[in-house]
Amino acid sequence: MAGANPQDRGRIALFPLPFQGHLSPMLQLADVLHGRGLAVTILHTTFNAPDAASHPEFAFIPIPDEGVADAIAAAKDGISKIFAMNDAMEASGCVRDALAAILSEEPRRPPSCLVIDTSLVAVQKAAVELGLPTIVLHTGSAACTRLFRSYAMLHEKGYLPAKEHELDRPVKELPPLRVSDLFDPSKYPNKEMANKIVHLAIETTANSAGIVINTSEALETPELEALRQELGINGTKVFAIGPLHKLSAIDSAASSLLEQDRSCIEWLDTQATGSVLYVSFGSVAPIHRDDFTEVAWGLANSGIPFLWVVRRGLVIGMEEPELPDGFELAVDGRGKVVRWAPQQEVLAHGAVGGFWTHNGWNSTLESIHEGVPMLSRPLFGDQLANGRYVQDVWKIGFLLQGKLERGRIEKAVTALMEGDLAAETRERAKELRTKAMMCLEIGGSTRRAVDELVDHILSL
Ligand code: UDX
């Protein structure tokens, strides 16, 4: 879509949450809308700012920092960072001022609306104050959007706080989820914040002129139908326009906050077709040191070739993670470790036969759309439900639950990559890919949803 000539159909502004798994889909959405003739303005924080030089077709406006970056840096974890960012933006009025400037500088062609990430409540409040409608981008699945809207019910019916002996209990209102798939705020160090985080999306959705979800009818028709029924009462429109990474032409390197190590592509070129397990636990959540050691030895002992992303901050208490003594020698020639990979390209590479993932929604979508089966080890939040869908709905992989221990890892990795079960799972993954890609064809559900979204934006 980049490079298409934007006709002067109108302008849209977008404000991403400045974390990798949220920034990429927002830029991809911007690209899709730009390809449909809308001029694009990206508002952003100076913290994790997108690379303006990689997107000359967009106008970029950094909001004056006013302590926002410091507030984010001082917060300890992902959830606290989101609240710190909202509080700092609201206290300083910096977003309101930036939006007011855009509206007054472009009186002839002001943005018809502002697309925001679900958790940017402060940004929405500023827009509402200025009479600018907002549309909310949900970067997770439709199932998770429904799940997070159900937290009052989950507490009322006693599913939460989760009891140890009920982890396997089916949540009959949200099949096929089980209690173990629910993000449980009571287990989180800052329970109050964890409780509040699931409500942010409810608030922004309620005050929006529509929601855009990075999913497709091929993957989540029942969940989308249920959402439309729930939200339709208030007239909120739901647009399923995923997978954005396939719909948009933005190169993944252009939205990456970290430099991608391309040496792994050369290494994959030397490996046999379908032989390599790709291992990555996403951009945010950390793992414990003991788990890291077990993962390392589980991979080493499996004998399976692997490519493993060990990013800075992956291991709690180790800024620069160090691999266990003897590991590199044990996996010499068979295992490759990088700090950050060009993941979409890795998953599309013929040598990759499986993905051990934390099931962040972007990673899950990227794997599905390359037909790569998954070993699911969700760490946090929406990832837990995504892993359940991989195993029980799409049947394109399986969950690795319970304690991480090298013997269990070795067995799980081998089951994903070798033998009859692996072949069947791979076959289903290829079939799902074919079905999912059809949404992107002309006349497909995703293309139609984009048409409807553009009409809706132009009607605001
Ligand atoms: C979190 C949530 O878990 C996710 O569900 C939510 O919707 C976004 O934020 P995150 O840890 O960022 O997720 O994972 P994911 O959603 O999978 O996004 C990670 C992105 O980083 C993917 O687009 C992936 O391609 C990219 N990536 C990852 C790389 O480009 N290189 C790597 O080495 C690893």
Side-chain angles (χ1 to χ4, degrees):
M1 305 273 158
N5 281 331
Q7 302 85 44
D8 201 2
R9 292 183 77 188
R11 173 170 296 277
I12 184 146
L14 303 96
F15 199 133
L17 185 73
F19 299 108
Q20 188 67 72
H22 296 255
L23 177 65
S24 298
M26 189 64 91
L27 291 173
Q28 290 154 2
L29 175 60
D31 182 48
V32 169
L33 296 174
H34 181 262
R36 296 299 184 98
L38 293 170
V40 164
T41 300
I42 309 276
L43 280 109
H44 61 88
T45 55
T46 53
F47 169 84
N48 275 352
D51 177 18
S54 299
H55 308 279
E57 68 281 22
F58 304 153
F60 284 86
I61 301 189
I63 55 155
D65 184 72
E66 311 272 6
V68 175
D70 285 348
I72 298 171
K76 284 197 191 71
D77 54 63
I79 291 184
S80 317
K81 284 181 194 300
I82 291 173
F83 284 104
M85 186 181 339
N86 273 310
D87 289 348
M89 290 194 296
E90 207 169 337
S92 70
C94 58
V95 178
R96 193 195 172 284
D97 294 347
L99 284 176
I102 295 177
L103 292 171
S104 63
E105 275 162 24
E106 306 216 31
R108 280 179 303 117
R109 201 175 59 162
S112 50
C113 76
L114 175 68
V115 183
I116 56 163
D117 192 275
T118 46
S119 49
L120 289 175
V121 182
V123 176
Q124 187 176 56
K125 280 185 189 157
V128 168
E129 223 182 299
L130 295 165
L132 184 61
T134 53
I135 287 181
V136 178
L137 171 63
H138 289 242
T139 57
S141 68
C144 286
T145 301
R146 277 198 79 207
L147 167 61
F148 285 177
R149 297 179 63 75
S150 307
Y151 264 62
M153 177 277 286
L154 294 169
H155 280 97
E156 261 162 39
K157 301 217 164 167
Y159 292 109
L160 290 174
K163 298 168 203 76
E164 202 57 38
H165 65 278
E166 283 192 357
L167 291 178
D168 235 14
R169 177 182 168 195
V171 180
K172 64 177 191 328
E173 295 81 358
L174 296 169
L177 299 185
R178 291 172 181 268
V179 170
S180 60
D181 307 324
L182 307 177
F183 166 62
D184 183 356
S186 75
K187 305 280 185 300
Y188 197 78
N190 188 335
K191 295 176 188 38
E192 200 194 330
M193 264 189 198
N195 253 318
K196 269 168 53 185
I197 192 87
V198 291
H199 295 290
L200 290 186
I202 300 180
E203 185 179 340
T204 49
T205 297
N207 295 320
S208 74
I211 67 168
V212 171
I213 312 186
N214 190 11
T215 189
S216 70
E217 299 290 343
L219 300 179
E220 297 197 282
T221 293
E223 291 74 12
L224 285 164
E225 276 173 5
L227 259 183
R228 286 192 178 109
Q229 269 189 8
E230 283 168 28
L231 291 169
I233 299 167
N234 301 327
T236 311
K237 288 183 185 292
V238 178
F239 303 92
I241 59 151
L244 281 165
H245 73 287
K246 286 287 185 192
L247 195 58
S248 146
I250 287 189
D251 188 294
S252 72
S255 65
S256 188
L257 291 167
L258 298 173
E259 196 181 337
Q260 301 175 337
D261 181 346
R262 297 195 53 79
S263 69
C264 59
I265 301 293
E266 284 158 36
W267 180 80
L268 285 173
D269 289 343
T270 66
Q271 304 295 312
T273 304
S275 66
V276 175
L277 175 73
Y278 172 57
V279 186
S280 167
F281 303 121
S283 70
V284 191
I287 60 174
H288 291 282
R289 202 172 181 143
D290 291 351
D291 289 345
F292 179 64
T293 307
E294 292 306 305
V295 173
W297 288 116
L299 290 174
N301 297 345
S302 72
I304 306 271
F306 65 87
L307 167 63
W308 183 14
V309 177
V310 178
R311 64 173 156 78
R312 272 185 103 224
L314 172 67
V315 185
I316 294 167
M318 285 171 119
E319 193 46 28
E320 288 290 348
E322 278 171 37
L323 293 159
D325 283 347
F327 172 79
E328 276 160 288
L329 196 62
V331 302
D332 192 27
R334 181 171 61 78
K336 181 153 177 78
V337 176
V338 292
R339 285 270 184 257
W340 194 247
Q343 179 166 303
Q344 291 174 31
E345 221 176 308
V346 165
L347 288 167
H349 197 288
V352 171
F355 183 11
W356 182 2
T357 171
H358 72 313
N359 279 129
W361 184 240
N362 295 289
S363 295
T364 306
L365 283 178
E366 289 160 15
S367 203
I368 288 174
H369 291 87
E370 300 306 336
V372 177
M374 288 170 257
L375 176 61
S376 298
R377 177 75 187 183
L379 301 174
F380 181 76
D382 64 332
Q383 301 158 10
L384 300 155
N386 297 339
R388 175 65 59 193
Y389 270 67
V390 165
Q391 177 178 283
D392 289 0
V393 177
W394 305 311
K395 301 183 170 56
I396 55 168
F398 39 88
L399 281 160
L400 174 57
Q401 289 176 308
K403 194 168 162 42
L404 274 184
E405 189 271 317
R406 63 192 73 184
R408 295 186 64 225
I409 292 172
E410 189 184 332
K411 276 201 195 113
V413 161
T414 309
L416 184 75
M417 298 298 289
E418 293 177 354
D420 291 347
L421 179 62
E424 284 165 26
T425 312
R426 201 168 288 187
E427 197 45 45
R428 273 196 298 274
K430 300 266 175 271
E431 284 166 15
L432 182 62
R433 173 186 190 274
T434 306
K435 187 176 151 204
M437 291 298 283
M438 281 164 66
C439 294
L440 294 166
E441 286 174 8
I442 306 225
S445 63
T446 287
R447 298 263 176 198
R448 292 199 310 273
V450 175
D451 291 342
E452 287 161 17
L453 174 63
V454 172
D455 288 347
H456 182 58
I457 289 170
L458 294 175
S459 74
L460 290 172

